[in-house]
Amino acid sequence: ATPAMRDAARDAARTAEKFCETLFSDPDVARALVDAARRARGDDDGARARAVFFEAPRAAMEALTRALEMSTTQSAEMRARGIARKARMVGASDAEDAIGCGLEREDARAYARACAAGDDGEDAFGVIVSVGLACSTNVVRFGVVRKGKLEMDARVCDPAAPSIWAMKPKSTPEAPTKETQWLYCADKGSGRSETLPNFKWTGDLRPAKISHDERYFRGLLPVPADVEKTDYAETSYPKSEAESRLQQVMHELSASEKELLHKCCIVSRGALDAVVRAIRPGVVPDELDRICHNYITAHGGYPSPLNYYGFPKSCCISVNEVICHGIPDARPLEKGDIVNIDVTAYIYGYHGDLNETVLVGKPEDVDEKSKHLLKVALECLWRGIDTVKPGARYRDIGDVVTGHATRNNCSVVKTYCGHGINTLFHCAPNVPHYANNKAVGAMKKGHSFTIEPMINLGDWRDITWPDGWTAVTRDGSRSAQYEHTMVCTDDGVEVLTARLPSSPAVFPFIGEDDVDVDLLTGRLAAASL
């Protein structure tokens, strides 16, 4: 995160603690709050082993704290009532719904401790306070109230996701607001339609309507005025990219240029992690897109896909049989889905591109073939990355990727490939992932590019939906993909979008006792970069 966002997270942690201390300064408020929260939710079950969960944006929580400080003359019931209306009782099984997926172990334990407080008796309960930041991540504090006295847990969960309850959209296709309408995407993003087009769909998935905000340019999410924008932000035509000599010539980054690209990639990684934490059954992809947009713009960046050749959203979200370029829409994610999140941020003058495919729900909710597909797709990525070194041919990546996919009864998409990336979103080299391709060029120190094999359970062929963007498998089989931006070094490769220790766990097909695999990256632990 940028220094400003790190400061905001630290301040949010203090805001949560001060809110709790102010709220529970009167011991009578504690029991009044729990009773009121249970009545508000109709919850008379599980009085023990449950906690009060409260969530609000940082500014709202600071305002509530000031109001509580000025209302000391009111009764405990009156002070608790306003908080209880927006609070809810949660249990240990609600952790993902409350604070997000792929939690670090210590965060999960802190949540469990708060929920287990009721085991200490009727006079004890847990407190979980989640503070929303401008970048659409949350900071969470935990505590326990025993006999009216608050004990704060030292653990700070940062970053966390907004709760599933906070992510319910204010406008829906069934109940649109005056400002936000819902329409089908058409004409490669430049058009909208009220009716679903006629098309021979290949799988079970169908397009859903996308949000279109009449208050903003072309209905797109707004970008702050102080953010440096791409040359296509308003025109939809990337003139500098289309006319650049870097479409034919591979640029070799200097050390200072690589550092700027790396800084950009860290923002991209943070945005992807923020979206992945928020993926839960029932969540709408349009809301996930908003998280990505807010994260990138709050850090001073521009979401590279936004209005790129007319693309109407800030990231690509591809579900089940969608190979790539899925448009975030109003279809809620369902248990058993697989979903790919493809994020690119433009900041510091560079683009950083990465994506991951994750399961929706618990691992047992997803069929074994889909888990196998994700595992093979991730292995294909790392086998491709392990070929990178000065002098290696770009065309050879496809042979390695295809060999592994074929041995595991999967296929490799041929229509889309990896690409060069730097100050341009897409440039030379082309990096095909299929065997016997004709890609030109050999790697040199300073070359920056992506590897992003798209792996199908069935046939490799694809077809594009009428929206002009969404590529799906021709036979309706599922597709998965993982991607990194990297730079070739003196003796190998540096992955600039690498996962961080705080990145959410997204590899349920890898067990904790699997010593041959790095649990953070999903790659073979013995392989060398």
Side-chain angles (χ1 to χ4, degrees):
T2 61
M5 294 311 301
R6 286 196 295 270
D7 290 344
R10 283 194 294 268
D11 290 344
R14 288 192 289 267
T15 295
E17 184 168 2
K18 185 177 181 181
F19 171 78
C20 291
E21 291 172 347
T22 305
L23 179 61
F24 298 114
S25 59
D26 180 351
D28 292 335
V29 171
R31 180 51 55 193
L33 174 61
V34 173
D35 291 343
R38 289 202 179 107
R39 286 196 300 271
R41 299 293 170 183
D43 181 19
D44 56 2
D45 177 47
R48 298 187 179 189
R50 294 178 73 81
V52 176
F53 175 80
F54 185 80
E55 178 178 21
R58 178 183 157 197
M61 194 164 291
E62 290 173 343
L64 278 171
T65 302
R66 290 193 295 270
L68 287 168
E69 290 172 335
M70 294 185 293
S71 63
T72 54
T73 58
Q74 292 181 339
S75 67
E77 289 76 11
M78 288 294 294
R79 298 185 75 198
R81 187 178 301 167
I83 305 297
R85 289 195 190 102
K86 296 184 178 180
R88 65 174 60 236
M89 304 304 296
V90 297
S93 62
D94 299 317
E96 290 191 351
D97 285 349
I99 60 176
C101 301
L103 298 173
E104 291 186 49
R105 290 180 184 176
E106 288 306 312
D107 293 333
R109 288 169 181 160
Y111 181 94
R113 284 195 296 271
C115 290
D119 293 341
D120 296 340
E122 289 293 330
D123 292 331
F125 63 92
V127 178
I128 301 168
V129 176
S130 183
V131 185
L133 302 179
C135 62
S136 282
T137 64
N138 285 34
V139 175
V140 181
R141 294 298 306 270
F142 309 93
V144 174
V145 176
R146 291 186 175 90
K147 296 182 179 180
K149 294 185 178 180
L150 173 69
E151 302 169 14
M152 292 298 297
D153 195 309
R155 181 69 182 178
V156 178
C157 179
D158 174 30
S163 74
I164 194 170
W165 311 293
M167 290 183 64
K168 290 183 178 179
K170 296 178 181 178
S171 174
T172 66
E174 296 75 26
T177 61
K178 181 179 178 180
E179 297 83 10
T180 305
Q181 301 299 309
W182 293 83
L183 300 163
Y184 292 105
C185 181
D187 301 326
K188 207 165 186 183
S190 62
R192 300 289 185 271
S193 172
E194 293 186 357
T195 58
L196 181 69
N198 292 320
F199 188 71
K200 188 176 181 181
W201 312 104
T202 62
D204 295 332
L205 200 67
R206 298 291 183 272
K209 293 180 178 180
I210 67 172
S211 61
H212 181 89
D213 198 318
E214 298 289 349
R215 294 171 294 177
Y216 305 122
F217 173 71
R218 292 189 179 180
L220 308 176
L221 289 176
V223 177
D226 59 347
V227 166
E228 181 184 355
K229 300 174 179 64
T230 60
D231 64 343
Y232 54 81
E234 295 185 1
T235 66
S236 78
Y237 178 65
K239 180 180 174 69
S240 60
E241 177 180 297
E243 300 177 3
S244 174
R245 61 188 291 272
L246 295 184
Q247 298 300 338
Q248 289 78 38
V249 178
M250 300 175 206
H251 179 63
E252 298 170 28
L253 295 178
S254 66
S256 60
E257 289 173 327
K258 188 186 84 169
E259 180 60 27
L260 287 174
L261 177 57
H262 192 191
K263 288 174 65 178
C264 166
C265 287
I266 291 172
V267 174
S268 298
R269 162 53 66 185
L272 177 68
D273 288 350
V275 174
V276 168
R277 284 188 200 95
I279 292 176
R280 292 154 287 192
V283 167
V284 174
D286 193 87
E287 288 297 306
L288 296 175
D289 176 73
R290 195 177 301 274
I291 288 176
C292 177
H293 182 92
N294 291 345
Y295 188 96
I296 292 173
T297 57
H299 284 79
Y302 181 88
S304 302
L306 189 64
N307 210 27
Y308 180 76
Y309 287 109
F311 191 80
K313 296 294 177 178
S314 296
C315 66
C316 298
I317 299 182
S318 303
V319 180
N320 295 342
E321 68 261 30
V322 179
I323 297 170
C324 61
H325 303 160
I327 301 173
D329 59 22
R331 174 195 178 270
L333 298 177
E334 300 175 357
K335 286 183 180 180
D337 285 342
I338 62 172
V339 56
N340 177 270
I341 309 296
D342 195 337
V343 170
T344 311
Y346 175 73
I347 188 172
Y348 310 118
Y350 287 81
H351 298 266
D353 193 2
L354 77 162
N355 72 58
E356 290 178 351
T357 304
V358 299
L359 311 177
V360 180
K362 304 293 184 184
E364 57 268 23
D365 296 328
V366 182
D367 64 90
E368 293 302 318
K369 285 186 177 180
S370 293
K371 295 176 193 174
H372 171 74
L373 172 66
L374 267 63
K375 186 172 185 291
V376 173
L378 182 62
E379 291 169 345
C380 284
L381 168 67
W382 282 111
R383 278 158 176 75
I385 291 174
D386 282 339
T387 69
V388 177
K389 61 182 179 180
R393 299 186 303 177
Y394 284 103
R395 68 176 62 179
D396 293 339
I397 293 174
D399 296 335
V400 173
V401 169
T402 299
H404 186 70
T406 302
R407 286 191 297 272
N408 286 277
N409 301 311
C410 294
S411 63
V412 181
V413 174
K414 298 183 180 182
T415 305
Y416 304 96
C417 61
H419 52 89
I421 187 167
N422 41 62
T423 57
L424 302 177
F425 194 176
H426 300 92
C427 58
N430 284 328
V431 187
H433 308 108
Y434 58 91
N436 303 316
N437 65 77
K438 305 300 181 183
V440 299
M443 301 169 198
K444 292 183 179 179
K445 178 185 176 182
H447 282 186
S448 53
F449 53 93
T450 71
I451 297 178
E452 46 184 303
M454 285 145 269
I455 309 299
N456 297 347
L457 269 177
D459 190 80
W460 62 267
R461 294 173 179 82
D462 65 277
I463 191 170
T464 303
W465 277 359
D467 59 35
W469 280 107
T470 308
V472 299
T473 56
R474 184 165 291 189
D475 61 2
S477 62
R478 288 189 167 188
S479 183
Q481 179 189 19
Y482 295 87
E483 174 188 18
H484 277 306
T485 291
M486 64 206 71
V487 62
C488 185
T489 62
D490 283 320
D491 56 357
V493 61
E494 182 177 353
V495 177
L496 303 182
T497 49
R499 291 174 59 79
L500 305 171
S502 60
S503 294
V506 295
F507 307 131
F509 42 80
I510 299 174
E512 293 184 8
D513 56 348
D514 193 343
V515 296
D516 295 327
V517 180
D518 185 324
L519 293 176
L520 177 62
T521 64
R523 71 194 312 278
L524 290 174
S528 60
L529 282 178

